[in-house]
Amino acid sequence: MPDASQSLLQLIWLASPALPVGGFSYSEGVEAAVEWAGIDSESRAAEWLSDQLHLSFARGDLALFAQAVSAWRTNDMPRIHALNEWVMVTRESAEFLLQTEQMGRSFVEWLKLHHADTAAVLAGLPASYPVAFAFAASRTTAPVHDCALAFAFGWAENMVGAAVKAVPLGQSAGQRILGRLAREIPDTVTRAMALSDDERQAFAPLLAVLSARHETQYSRLFRS
């Protein structure tokens, strides 16, 4: 098993936007929000992403991710399949479903280069992105809380990158927004980890509407 330093480096690697899973190509509604929800400045982009962190991501994928890490570590495959199914059926637009399927598939291909048993373990499981990330994180010795921090920061970095391009914003503005999200993430992770299955949810109507409108938006930089 890797030691603490190796686990930390692995989590940093997994959270990197340079990981070849295609996260940079999705804005998760931000691009549509720029046109139809008035996201036209640093302050409005910061508020939008903070709300998305707390109201959508934390209560859905982040909570599920933490549960999936624990399930992978106990080899609870029925639980893993149930969590993966929840991700798939709660995507509220075609683009959100495409995103989790494509990024999950790409993540699994990357994992095959680093864990020899990836193909066997994931056979018969079309892993969504949170479940694939959880599989990789579970192979470290890091506490679940730290794994969730990496997952959340990876999400935040991708989203800020999308906002910088779509609003557009300067790099310094992007770093200020990322700094705000980084300060909010630890408490958000703690709250997400406390959610039960019945409390976990993926209900974000405006985000879903914007994602659907993005399908026909002109012109687009991102796939969602």
PDB file of all heavy atoms in Angstrom, residues 30 34 39-46 49 159-178:
ATOM      1  N   VAL A  30     -22.343  26.498 -17.381  1.00  0.00           N
ATOM      2  CA  VAL A  30     -21.805  27.853 -17.237  1.00  0.00           C
ATOM      3  C   VAL A  30     -21.893  28.619 -18.553  1.00  0.00           C
ATOM      4  O   VAL A  30     -22.253  29.802 -18.571  1.00  0.00           O
ATOM      5  CB  VAL A  30     -20.352  27.811 -16.722  1.00  0.00           C
ATOM      6  CG1 VAL A  30     -19.687  29.180 -16.884  1.00  0.00           C
ATOM      7  CG2 VAL A  30     -20.319  27.397 -15.258  1.00  0.00           C
ATOM      8  N   VAL A  34     -23.938  32.150 -19.077  1.00  0.00           N
ATOM      9  CA  VAL A  34     -23.389  33.425 -19.539  1.00  0.00           C
ATOM     10  C   VAL A  34     -24.386  34.118 -20.469  1.00  0.00           C
ATOM     11  O   VAL A  34     -24.611  35.326 -20.375  1.00  0.00           O
ATOM     12  CB  VAL A  34     -22.042  33.192 -20.263  1.00  0.00           C
ATOM     13  CG1 VAL A  34     -21.586  34.460 -20.976  1.00  0.00           C
ATOM     14  CG2 VAL A  34     -20.984  32.732 -19.264  1.00  0.00           C
ATOM     15  N   ILE A  39     -24.429  35.747 -16.238  1.00  0.00           N
ATOM     16  CA  ILE A  39     -23.101  35.527 -15.639  1.00  0.00           C
ATOM     17  C   ILE A  39     -22.087  36.284 -16.492  1.00  0.00           C
ATOM     18  O   ILE A  39     -21.486  35.740 -17.430  1.00  0.00           O
ATOM     19  CB  ILE A  39     -22.763  34.020 -15.578  1.00  0.00           C
ATOM     20  CG1 ILE A  39     -23.893  33.251 -14.911  1.00  0.00           C
ATOM     21  CG2 ILE A  39     -21.442  33.798 -14.849  1.00  0.00           C
ATOM     22  CD1 ILE A  39     -24.263  33.763 -13.543  1.00  0.00           C
ATOM     23  N   ASP A  40     -21.900  37.562 -16.179  1.00  0.00           N
ATOM     24  CA  ASP A  40     -21.105  38.436 -17.042  1.00  0.00           C
ATOM     25  C   ASP A  40     -19.977  39.157 -16.317  1.00  0.00           C
ATOM     26  O   ASP A  40     -19.422  40.123 -16.833  1.00  0.00           O
ATOM     27  CB  ASP A  40     -22.015  39.466 -17.719  1.00  0.00           C
ATOM     28  CG  ASP A  40     -22.771  40.326 -16.703  1.00  0.00           C
ATOM     29  OD1 ASP A  40     -22.560  40.151 -15.481  1.00  0.00           O
ATOM     30  OD2 ASP A  40     -23.584  41.170 -17.144  1.00  0.00           O
ATOM     31  N   SER A  41     -19.642  38.691 -15.114  1.00  0.00           N
ATOM     32  CA  SER A  41     -18.583  39.361 -14.363  1.00  0.00           C
ATOM     33  C   SER A  41     -17.957  38.357 -13.394  1.00  0.00           C
ATOM     34  O   SER A  41     -18.494  37.264 -13.158  1.00  0.00           O
ATOM     35  CB  SER A  41     -19.153  40.535 -13.564  1.00  0.00           C
ATOM     36  OG  SER A  41     -20.051  40.076 -12.557  1.00  0.00           O
ATOM     37  N   GLU A  42     -16.835  38.768 -12.819  1.00  0.00           N
ATOM     38  CA  GLU A  42     -16.170  37.907 -11.839  1.00  0.00           C
ATOM     39  C   GLU A  42     -17.080  37.618 -10.649  1.00  0.00           C
ATOM     40  O   GLU A  42     -17.188  36.471 -10.196  1.00  0.00           O
ATOM     41  CB  GLU A  42     -14.886  38.576 -11.346  1.00  0.00           C
ATOM     42  CG  GLU A  42     -14.173  37.787 -10.259  1.00  0.00           C
ATOM     43  CD  GLU A  42     -12.946  38.494  -9.712  1.00  0.00           C
ATOM     44  OE1 GLU A  42     -12.435  39.417 -10.395  1.00  0.00           O
ATOM     45  OE2 GLU A  42     -12.492  38.135  -8.613  1.00  0.00           O
ATOM     46  N   SER A  43     -17.753  38.633 -10.131  1.00  0.00           N
ATOM     47  CA  SER A  43     -18.576  38.434  -8.934  1.00  0.00           C
ATOM     48  C   SER A  43     -19.749  37.506  -9.217  1.00  0.00           C
ATOM     49  O   SER A  43     -20.078  36.636  -8.402  1.00  0.00           O
ATOM     50  CB  SER A  43     -19.086  39.777  -8.416  1.00  0.00           C
ATOM     51  OG  SER A  43     -19.886  40.433  -9.393  1.00  0.00           O
ATOM     52  N   ARG A  44     -20.377  37.680 -10.381  1.00  0.00           N
ATOM     53  CA  ARG A  44     -21.517  36.820 -10.705  1.00  0.00           C
ATOM     54  C   ARG A  44     -21.065  35.394 -10.990  1.00  0.00           C
ATOM     55  O   ARG A  44     -21.757  34.424 -10.622  1.00  0.00           O
ATOM     56  CB  ARG A  44     -22.286  37.395 -11.891  1.00  0.00           C
ATOM     57  CG  ARG A  44     -23.046  38.669 -11.539  1.00  0.00           C
ATOM     58  CD  ARG A  44     -23.859  39.184 -12.698  1.00  0.00           C
ATOM     59  NE  ARG A  44     -24.671  40.331 -12.305  1.00  0.00           N
ATOM     60  CZ  ARG A  44     -25.482  40.984 -13.124  1.00  0.00           C
ATOM     61  NH1 ARG A  44     -25.596  40.597 -14.392  1.00  0.00           N
ATOM     62  NH2 ARG A  44     -26.187  42.021 -12.699  1.00  0.00           N
ATOM     63  N   ALA A  45     -19.926  35.238 -11.641  1.00  0.00           N
ATOM     64  CA  ALA A  45     -19.400  33.889 -11.883  1.00  0.00           C
ATOM     65  C   ALA A  45     -19.053  33.209 -10.563  1.00  0.00           C
ATOM     66  O   ALA A  45     -19.320  32.015 -10.372  1.00  0.00           O
ATOM     67  CB  ALA A  45     -18.172  33.961 -12.785  1.00  0.00           C
ATOM     68  N   ALA A  46     -18.469  33.967  -9.630  1.00  0.00           N
ATOM     69  CA  ALA A  46     -18.118  33.397  -8.331  1.00  0.00           C
ATOM     70  C   ALA A  46     -19.356  32.938  -7.564  1.00  0.00           C
ATOM     71  O   ALA A  46     -19.377  31.857  -6.971  1.00  0.00           O
ATOM     72  CB  ALA A  46     -17.336  34.420  -7.503  1.00  0.00           C
ATOM     73  N   LEU A  49     -20.838  29.706  -9.281  1.00  0.00           N
ATOM     74  CA  LEU A  49     -20.084  28.482  -9.011  1.00  0.00           C
ATOM     75  C   LEU A  49     -20.174  28.081  -7.543  1.00  0.00           C
ATOM     76  O   LEU A  49     -20.226  26.888  -7.217  1.00  0.00           O
ATOM     77  CB  LEU A  49     -18.632  28.656  -9.429  1.00  0.00           C
ATOM     78  CG  LEU A  49     -18.402  28.795 -10.941  1.00  0.00           C
ATOM     79  CD1 LEU A  49     -16.922  28.945 -11.247  1.00  0.00           C
ATOM     80  CD2 LEU A  49     -18.977  27.604 -11.692  1.00  0.00           C
ATOM     81  N   MET A 159     -14.339  23.915 -13.493  1.00  0.00           N
ATOM     82  CA  MET A 159     -15.415  24.883 -13.633  1.00  0.00           C
ATOM     83  C   MET A 159     -14.881  26.307 -13.748  1.00  0.00           C
ATOM     84  O   MET A 159     -15.390  27.115 -14.527  1.00  0.00           O
ATOM     85  CB  MET A 159     -16.384  24.768 -12.456  1.00  0.00           C
ATOM     86  CG  MET A 159     -17.116  23.432 -12.385  1.00  0.00           C
ATOM     87  SD  MET A 159     -18.059  23.087 -13.880  1.00  0.00           S
ATOM     88  CE  MET A 159     -19.280  24.390 -13.801  1.00  0.00           C
ATOM     89  N   VAL A 160     -13.880  26.622 -12.973  1.00  0.00           N
ATOM     90  CA  VAL A 160     -13.279  27.956 -13.066  1.00  0.00           C
ATOM     91  C   VAL A 160     -12.632  28.137 -14.432  1.00  0.00           C
ATOM     92  O   VAL A 160     -12.746  29.206 -15.057  1.00  0.00           O
ATOM     93  CB  VAL A 160     -12.258  28.168 -11.939  1.00  0.00           C
ATOM     94  CG1 VAL A 160     -11.433  29.436 -12.187  1.00  0.00           C
ATOM     95  CG2 VAL A 160     -12.972  28.270 -10.590  1.00  0.00           C
ATOM     96  N   GLY A 161     -11.976  27.092 -14.923  1.00  0.00           N
ATOM     97  CA  GLY A 161     -11.393  27.165 -16.256  1.00  0.00           C
ATOM     98  C   GLY A 161     -12.441  27.445 -17.321  1.00  0.00           C
ATOM     99  O   GLY A 161     -12.214  28.227 -18.249  1.00  0.00           O
ATOM    100  N   ALA A 162     -13.614  26.820 -17.166  1.00  0.00           N
ATOM    101  CA  ALA A 162     -14.708  27.056 -18.105  1.00  0.00           C
ATOM    102  C   ALA A 162     -15.204  28.496 -18.009  1.00  0.00           C
ATOM    103  O   ALA A 162     -15.466  29.147 -19.035  1.00  0.00           O
ATOM    104  CB  ALA A 162     -15.846  26.080 -17.835  1.00  0.00           C
ATOM    105  N   ALA A 163     -15.338  29.012 -16.792  1.00  0.00           N
ATOM    106  CA  ALA A 163     -15.819  30.379 -16.600  1.00  0.00           C
ATOM    107  C   ALA A 163     -14.836  31.399 -17.165  1.00  0.00           C
ATOM    108  O   ALA A 163     -15.243  32.409 -17.773  1.00  0.00           O
ATOM    109  CB  ALA A 163     -16.060  30.652 -15.118  1.00  0.00           C
ATOM    110  N   VAL A 164     -13.550  31.149 -16.982  1.00  0.00           N
ATOM    111  CA  VAL A 164     -12.533  32.070 -17.510  1.00  0.00           C
ATOM    112  C   VAL A 164     -12.675  32.200 -19.026  1.00  0.00           C
ATOM    113  O   VAL A 164     -12.564  33.298 -19.587  1.00  0.00           O
ATOM    114  CB  VAL A 164     -11.123  31.583 -17.124  1.00  0.00           C
ATOM    115  CG1 VAL A 164     -10.049  32.304 -17.942  1.00  0.00           C
ATOM    116  CG2 VAL A 164     -10.874  31.810 -15.638  1.00  0.00           C
ATOM    117  N   LYS A 165     -12.963  31.094 -19.700  1.00  0.00           N
ATOM    118  CA  LYS A 165     -13.084  31.122 -21.163  1.00  0.00           C
ATOM    119  C   LYS A 165     -14.439  31.656 -21.619  1.00  0.00           C
ATOM    120  O   LYS A 165     -14.532  32.354 -22.625  1.00  0.00           O
ATOM    121  CB  LYS A 165     -12.878  29.717 -21.714  1.00  0.00           C
ATOM    122  CG  LYS A 165     -11.482  29.168 -21.508  1.00  0.00           C
ATOM    123  CD  LYS A 165     -11.401  27.705 -21.924  1.00  0.00           C
ATOM    124  CE  LYS A 165     -10.035  27.117 -21.618  1.00  0.00           C
ATOM    125  NZ  LYS A 165      -9.984  25.661 -21.887  1.00  0.00           N
ATOM    126  N   ALA A 166     -15.493  31.310 -20.899  1.00  0.00           N
ATOM    127  CA  ALA A 166     -16.842  31.594 -21.392  1.00  0.00           C
ATOM    128  C   ALA A 166     -17.326  32.993 -21.066  1.00  0.00           C
ATOM    129  O   ALA A 166     -18.095  33.573 -21.846  1.00  0.00           O
ATOM    130  CB  ALA A 166     -17.834  30.573 -20.828  1.00  0.00           C
ATOM    131  N   VAL A 167     -16.921  33.581 -19.917  1.00  0.00           N
ATOM    132  CA  VAL A 167     -17.511  34.876 -19.533  1.00  0.00           C
ATOM    133  C   VAL A 167     -17.124  36.001 -20.506  1.00  0.00           C
ATOM    134  O   VAL A 167     -18.039  36.721 -20.955  1.00  0.00           O
ATOM    135  CB  VAL A 167     -17.179  35.193 -18.064  1.00  0.00           C
ATOM    136  CG1 VAL A 167     -17.638  36.605 -17.712  1.00  0.00           C
ATOM    137  CG2 VAL A 167     -17.843  34.170 -17.142  1.00  0.00           C
ATOM    138  N   PRO A 168     -15.842  36.235 -20.848  1.00  0.00           N
ATOM    139  CA  PRO A 168     -14.609  35.645 -20.336  1.00  0.00           C
ATOM    140  C   PRO A 168     -14.058  36.450 -19.156  1.00  0.00           C
ATOM    141  O   PRO A 168     -14.493  37.574 -18.894  1.00  0.00           O
ATOM    142  CB  PRO A 168     -13.682  35.749 -21.544  1.00  0.00           C
ATOM    143  CG  PRO A 168     -14.105  37.050 -22.196  1.00  0.00           C
ATOM    144  CD  PRO A 168     -15.604  37.142 -21.990  1.00  0.00           C
ATOM    145  N   LEU A 169     -13.091  35.829 -18.462  1.00  0.00           N
ATOM    146  CA  LEU A 169     -12.441  36.472 -17.330  1.00  0.00           C
ATOM    147  C   LEU A 169     -10.930  36.372 -17.486  1.00  0.00           C
ATOM    148  O   LEU A 169     -10.429  35.511 -18.206  1.00  0.00           O
ATOM    149  CB  LEU A 169     -12.839  35.781 -16.021  1.00  0.00           C
ATOM    150  CG  LEU A 169     -14.323  35.768 -15.658  1.00  0.00           C
ATOM    151  CD1 LEU A 169     -14.556  34.839 -14.474  1.00  0.00           C
ATOM    152  CD2 LEU A 169     -14.811  37.166 -15.345  1.00  0.00           C
ATOM    153  N   GLY A 170     -10.221  37.225 -16.771  1.00  0.00           N
ATOM    154  CA  GLY A 170      -8.770  37.130 -16.746  1.00  0.00           C
ATOM    155  C   GLY A 170      -8.315  36.007 -15.822  1.00  0.00           C
ATOM    156  O   GLY A 170      -9.080  35.510 -14.989  1.00  0.00           O
ATOM    157  N   GLN A 171      -7.066  35.621 -15.968  1.00  0.00           N
ATOM    158  CA  GLN A 171      -6.535  34.537 -15.139  1.00  0.00           C
ATOM    159  C   GLN A 171      -6.524  34.903 -13.657  1.00  0.00           C
ATOM    160  O   GLN A 171      -6.765  34.050 -12.800  1.00  0.00           O
ATOM    161  CB  GLN A 171      -5.124  34.177 -15.601  1.00  0.00           C
ATOM    162  CG  GLN A 171      -5.062  33.538 -16.978  1.00  0.00           C
ATOM    163  CD  GLN A 171      -5.788  32.210 -17.040  1.00  0.00           C
ATOM    164  OE1 GLN A 171      -5.768  31.434 -16.091  1.00  0.00           O
ATOM    165  NE2 GLN A 171      -6.455  31.940 -18.156  1.00  0.00           N
ATOM    166  N   SER A 172      -6.259  36.163 -13.337  1.00  0.00           N
ATOM    167  CA  SER A 172      -6.253  36.578 -11.928  1.00  0.00           C
ATOM    168  C   SER A 172      -7.643  36.462 -11.324  1.00  0.00           C
ATOM    169  O   SER A 172      -7.820  36.026 -10.185  1.00  0.00           O
ATOM    170  CB  SER A 172      -5.736  38.004 -11.792  1.00  0.00           C
ATOM    171  OG  SER A 172      -4.381  38.087 -12.170  1.00  0.00           O
ATOM    172  N   ALA A 173      -8.662  36.846 -12.105  1.00  0.00           N
ATOM    173  CA  ALA A 173     -10.040  36.690 -11.636  1.00  0.00           C
ATOM    174  C   ALA A 173     -10.364  35.227 -11.406  1.00  0.00           C
ATOM    175  O   ALA A 173     -10.998  34.860 -10.404  1.00  0.00           O
ATOM    176  CB  ALA A 173     -11.010  37.302 -12.652  1.00  0.00           C
ATOM    177  N   GLY A 174      -9.915  34.388 -12.322  1.00  0.00           N
ATOM    178  CA  GLY A 174     -10.140  32.955 -12.155  1.00  0.00           C
ATOM    179  C   GLY A 174      -9.501  32.419 -10.888  1.00  0.00           C
ATOM    180  O   GLY A 174     -10.095  31.596 -10.178  1.00  0.00           O
ATOM    181  N   GLN A 175      -8.309  32.888 -10.590  1.00  0.00           N
ATOM    182  CA  GLN A 175      -7.631  32.426  -9.373  1.00  0.00           C
ATOM    183  C   GLN A 175      -8.335  32.921  -8.113  1.00  0.00           C
ATOM    184  O   GLN A 175      -8.377  32.212  -7.100  1.00  0.00           O
ATOM    185  CB  GLN A 175      -6.169  32.880  -9.384  1.00  0.00           C
ATOM    186  CG  GLN A 175      -5.304  32.131 -10.381  1.00  0.00           C
ATOM    187  CD  GLN A 175      -5.264  30.638 -10.100  1.00  0.00           C
ATOM    188  OE1 GLN A 175      -4.860  30.210  -9.009  1.00  0.00           O
ATOM    189  NE2 GLN A 175      -5.691  29.837 -11.063  1.00  0.00           N
ATOM    190  N   ARG A 176      -8.895  34.110  -8.166  1.00  0.00           N
ATOM    191  CA  ARG A 176      -9.645  34.595  -6.999  1.00  0.00           C
ATOM    192  C   ARG A 176     -10.901  33.743  -6.775  1.00  0.00           C
ATOM    193  O   ARG A 176     -11.248  33.411  -5.637  1.00  0.00           O
ATOM    194  CB  ARG A 176     -10.021  36.068  -7.178  1.00  0.00           C
ATOM    195  CG  ARG A 176      -8.856  37.037  -7.006  1.00  0.00           C
ATOM    196  CD  ARG A 176      -9.318  38.478  -6.948  1.00  0.00           C
ATOM    197  NE  ARG A 176      -9.839  38.964  -8.219  1.00  0.00           N
ATOM    198  CZ  ARG A 176      -9.083  39.561  -9.159  1.00  0.00           C
ATOM    199  NH1 ARG A 176      -7.797  39.737  -8.968  1.00  0.00           N
ATOM    200  NH2 ARG A 176      -9.642  39.981 -10.286  1.00  0.00           N
ATOM    201  N   ILE A 177     -11.583  33.383  -7.864  1.00  0.00           N
ATOM    202  CA  ILE A 177     -12.764  32.528  -7.731  1.00  0.00           C
ATOM    203  C   ILE A 177     -12.361  31.157  -7.211  1.00  0.00           C
ATOM    204  O   ILE A 177     -13.013  30.598  -6.321  1.00  0.00           O
ATOM    205  CB  ILE A 177     -13.490  32.399  -9.079  1.00  0.00           C
ATOM    206  CG1 ILE A 177     -14.017  33.750  -9.546  1.00  0.00           C
ATOM    207  CG2 ILE A 177     -14.645  31.404  -8.971  1.00  0.00           C
ATOM    208  CD1 ILE A 177     -14.589  33.740 -10.957  1.00  0.00           C
ATOM    209  N   LEU A 178     -11.285  30.603  -7.747  1.00  0.00           N
ATOM    210  CA  LEU A 178     -10.826  29.293  -7.285  1.00  0.00           C
ATOM    211  C   LEU A 178     -10.432  29.342  -5.810  1.00  0.00           C
ATOM    212  O   LEU A 178     -10.699  28.405  -5.053  1.00  0.00           O
ATOM    213  CB  LEU A 178      -9.640  28.827  -8.131  1.00  0.00           C
ATOM    214  CG  LEU A 178      -9.144  27.404  -7.877  1.00  0.00           C
ATOM    215  CD1 LEU A 178     -10.251  26.385  -8.128  1.00  0.00           C
ATOM    216  CD2 LEU A 178      -7.926  27.097  -8.756  1.00  0.00           C
TER     217      LEU A 178
END
